[in-house]
Amino acid sequence: MAYLGYRAPLPVWSSPGIIMPPQDFSDSDEKWLSFTARLVEAVLDYKRKIDTDLVKVDMSGSLPMDMVQYTQLYGATRIPGMVSDSQVVDSDPNYIIVMHRGNAFVMETKDVDGNDLKASQIYYSLQHALAESKRLGSIGKIGLLTSDTRQNWYKAHQVLKVQDSETLSKIEGSSFVLCLDETLEESGKDKLTSTALNSLHGIGTSVNGSNRWYDKALQFIVAKSGEVAICNEHSFAEAVPTSKFNT
């Protein structure tokens, strides 16, 4: 695939951002996390519909489209290579990665009986991750590596495989990444523009650039100031399957 051979960075160059309706959380952690929990619940439910063939088949005029792209959204990760990248898809991951201030946390998405968690359960897991990130008091920078050129990221990836393979494998094997961004500072831009920029590149390394893992096929981004968006790695699917999350 041509996409996998591109050596340019993923953000801006190939990974699209999708704006979702802005929210008003009134600077409240409770409102922020409650909305995010419902979003995660809906995303998990959509996977169930994909797995059970309940998603309506896309049509091109009178012709049905191949729906295989939908099955390559969850659990999908692009792995950097020196000359060309590769793809890995875990068909049934039972956890997601929650990122806040560049710190990554594993959040289980199924209960002991194998059922998807409800929004109320997800809320408390998010609350715990947020509290732990604040307790750490530091900003993780490892996510920035995924925004570099593919050759540079490949070299760093090789080092990480030796130094912290467990963490790397956990992130890469997750269903998707949820990015909890802090309040975006006023920039003079309207909210939709700020949301678009945040979805594409996190508005740079000094804002949310490190709170991403650009190799993941799906990243859901929810800022405390109400900006909501999706960033998806383009080699797994065109924008149509991802845009369905916005309907």
Side-chain angles (χ1 to χ4, degrees):
M1 294 174 61
Y3 273 122
L4 298 178
Y6 294 159
R7 303 293 82 197
L10 298 183
V12 179
W13 292 96
S14 67
S15 294
I18 298 174
I19 297 174
M20 301 180 78
Q23 305 296 313
D24 181 8
F25 302 136
S26 303
D27 201 35
S28 164
D29 281 357
E30 181 181 358
K31 291 181 179 179
W32 179 30
L33 298 185
S34 292
F35 169 86
T36 305
R38 295 194 301 272
L39 174 64
V40 172
E41 182 184 47
V43 173
L44 294 175
D45 184 61
Y46 193 60
K47 184 182 187 303
R48 179 187 62 80
K49 292 179 179 178
I50 292 172
D51 292 343
T52 53
D53 295 324
L54 293 177
V55 175
K56 185 178 179 181
V57 175
D58 293 330
M59 303 294 291
S60 178
S62 61
L63 300 176
M65 301 288 286
D66 186 347
M67 298 289 283
V68 70
Q69 291 184 89
Y70 287 80
T71 68
Q72 297 176 342
L73 292 174
Y74 295 83
T77 303
R78 178 168 171 166
I79 306 297
M82 179 57 76
V83 177
S84 182
D85 295 350
S86 57
Q87 296 173 318
V88 174
V89 179
D90 186 331
S91 60
D92 193 29
N94 60 3
Y95 68 94
I96 67 172
I97 294 296
V98 179
M99 297 191 71
H100 177 256
R101 294 178 179 170
N103 300 306
F105 303 92
V106 174
M107 193 193 90
E108 301 293 332
T109 56
K110 295 185 182 296
D111 62 21
V112 292
D113 297 317
N115 300 309
D116 288 340
L117 297 182
K118 300 299 182 183
S120 58
Q121 299 167 300
I122 295 169
Y123 172 82
Y124 286 110
S125 294
L126 295 177
Q127 199 175 42
H128 177 75
L130 185 64
E132 180 63 14
S133 180
K134 290 181 177 180
R135 185 194 68 79
L136 290 172
S138 60
I139 298 177
K141 297 293 186 180
I142 189 172
L144 287 174
L145 296 172
T146 68
S147 68
D148 205 344
T149 64
R150 302 310 289 173
Q151 296 100 321
N152 287 347
W153 172 215
Y154 165 76
K155 294 173 185 177
H157 191 271
Q158 293 298 105
V159 174
L160 288 174
K161 283 171 64 176
V162 175
Q163 295 185 349
D164 198 356
S165 61
E166 183 178 357
T167 298
L168 190 62
S169 295
K170 269 294 183 182
I171 295 174
E172 292 176 345
S174 63
S175 184
F176 57 88
V177 170
L178 172 67
C179 307
L180 294 176
D181 289 354
E182 288 292 342
T183 298
L184 297 181
E185 300 295 331
E186 291 293 333
S187 62
K189 297 181 174 62
D190 64 87
K191 203 173 191 68
L192 291 180
T193 299
S194 296
T195 304
L197 295 174
N198 199 41
S199 73
L200 288 171
H201 48 59
I203 317 184
T205 59
S206 62
V207 185
N208 293 312
S210 63
N211 203 42
R212 303 285 186 271
W213 198 268
Y214 287 105
D215 288 354
K216 290 301 294 182
L218 281 177
Q219 294 188 93
F220 292 89
I221 303 162
V222 186
K224 190 175 180 180
S225 44
E227 294 83 1
V228 185
I230 302 170
C231 180
N232 81 284
E233 202 292 295
H234 208 352
S235 68
F236 290 96
E238 296 298 328
V240 173
T242 313
S243 65
K244 294 294 181 69
F245 290 108
N246 211 9
T247 59

